[in-house]
Amino acid sequence: MKPYLSGFLFALLVALLALPAAASDKPVVAAAADLQFALTDIAAVFTKATGKEVRLTFGSSGNFYRQIGQGAPFDLFFSADEDFVFNLAKEGRTEDEGALYAIGRIVLLLPHGSPLKADPALGDLRAAIGDGRLRRFAIANPEHAPYGLRAEEALRRAGIWDAIKDRLVLGENVSQAAQFALSGNAQGGIVAYSLALAPELAAKADHVLIPEDMHEPLRQRMVALKGASPTAREFLAFMQREEARAVMRHYGFVLPGEEM
C-alpha cells in the first residue's frame, strides 16, 4: 500500500473512532411530542446555565420505544407513558427505572370558528355527529401514542367512540394531531394540554380540560439509556431543578410532589 494512502486510511479510522465521543458532547433526547414546547424552553435554559447543549427529537412514545429496542442511539428517553420506560428497564436498555417527571392532561381543542361547543364532558360531540356539525375529529394514533390512547378512553367514557371512530383523523403523534385539528379539515380534536397552552396554538384555538376521571393518568417518565453521556445525565438532573419545573408548570403539567 502506498504510504500516502496508508496515512489517509489511518486518519479516516481515527476520525471515525472519534465520532461517538464528539456526538456525546451533544446528547440526543427522544421526547414525547407533548413536550415540543416545554422541553425546547428547558433546553435553552439548560444551555444558558451550563454552556452545554442537547439535541431534541420529538415523536410518539410508542415509536421511540420500538426504535430504542432496535438499538437507536438515543441518550435519554422522555416518555408520555411510564410503562415504556419500565419495559425498557426490564430489557436492560436503561441505567435504571428513571424518574416520574410529570402527569399530563388532555383537552378538547377547537379551532376558532369551530361549530363545536367547548363541552368538557364531550356530550356535544355526540349531538354534532347527529346534526352534521362534525365531519372530522383529530386524535393521536392510540396504537402507539399515549395521548391518543387517553383520548380514546375519554371518548369511550363519553359513550361516543363507536359513533366517532370512522370520523377520526389520526396523527402520528399528539403534535401532529393538534396540527390536524387546526388544519381546517377537522372541526376539533383531543390533544395535550401542554400544546394547547403554547402561544402558537393558543392564538388559533380555544380549549377546555377534559376531566381526569374520564381516562387513565398520563404518568410521564424520563430515563437515561445505557451508555448515556455525562451531559445527558446532567440534563436529566437539571429537570429536577426549579428552573425546569417552573417551565413544566407553565405548560400545564402536574409535577411529582405536587399532585392534586
Side-chain angles (χ1 to χ4, degrees):
M1 181 177 291
K2 295 181 179 180
Y4 73 87
L5 184 56
S6 177
F8 170 78
L9 290 176
F10 178 77
L12 179 61
L13 178 61
V14 170
L16 290 173
L17 290 174
L19 281 177
S24 68
D25 292 336
K26 190 183 287 189
V28 182
V29 182
D34 67 303
L35 295 169
Q36 178 181 348
F37 298 101
L39 208 61
T40 298
D41 287 358
I42 290 172
V45 175
F46 173 75
T47 298
K48 184 176 181 179
T50 66
K52 302 174 183 178
E53 297 182 21
V54 295
R55 288 183 289 171
L56 305 176
T57 180
F58 299 100
S60 79
S61 298
N63 284 342
F64 281 137
Y65 169 70
R66 185 181 69 253
Q67 292 167 14
I68 293 168
Q70 295 171 346
F74 298 119
D75 290 83
L76 301 176
F77 180 34
F78 283 70
S79 177
D81 185 337
E82 66 179 358
D83 284 344
F84 289 130
V85 171
F86 291 144
N87 289 340
L88 288 172
K90 291 176 183 176
E91 296 167 11
R93 297 186 180 277
T94 66
E95 296 288 344
D96 50 30
E97 290 191 336
L100 185 73
Y101 66 86
I103 297 174
R105 297 290 305 275
I106 57 175
V107 300
L108 175 63
L109 185 74
L110 303 177
H112 293 161
S114 172
L116 304 180
K117 297 178 182 178
D119 173 12
L122 307 180
D124 183 61
L125 286 180
R126 179 189 295 276
I129 293 170
D131 62 26
R133 284 180 290 134
L134 181 66
R135 299 186 304 278
R136 291 286 183 270
F137 192 76
I139 67 171
N141 192 328
E143 292 187 1
H144 52 74
Y147 275 85
L149 182 57
R150 298 302 176 258
E152 178 182 341
E153 291 170 356
L155 291 166
R156 287 187 181 278
R157 183 67 63 88
I160 58 175
W161 175 255
D162 289 337
I164 202 172
K165 62 183 180 181
D166 290 337
R167 299 170 188 252
L168 293 177
V169 181
L170 300 180
E172 182 69 11
N173 53 63
V174 72
S175 180
Q176 188 177 67
Q179 294 173 24
F180 288 161
L182 298 176
S183 68
N185 294 320
Q187 286 70 57
I190 294 177
V191 304
Y193 186 30
S194 59
L195 299 180
L197 290 175
E200 291 87 338
L201 271 71
K204 301 175 182 178
D206 299 312
H207 67 269
V208 60
L209 276 167
I210 294 173
E212 293 175 284
D213 61 4
M214 291 186 69
H215 61 86
E216 292 297 313
L218 276 153
R219 292 177 58 85
Q220 307 195 189
R221 202 166 193 87
M222 59 187 180
V223 70
L225 301 174
K226 282 288 180 65
S229 71
T231 299
R233 293 189 179 90
E234 188 174 351
F235 184 70
L236 207 63
F238 188 81
M239 288 294 298
Q240 310 283 3
R241 289 172 49 172
E242 180 55 29
E243 302 99 302
R245 289 170 66 89
V247 174
M248 294 294 285
R249 287 191 208 97
H250 175 75
Y251 284 99
F253 289 103
V254 178
L255 302 182
E258 301 178 6
E259 292 93 341
M260 297 179 65

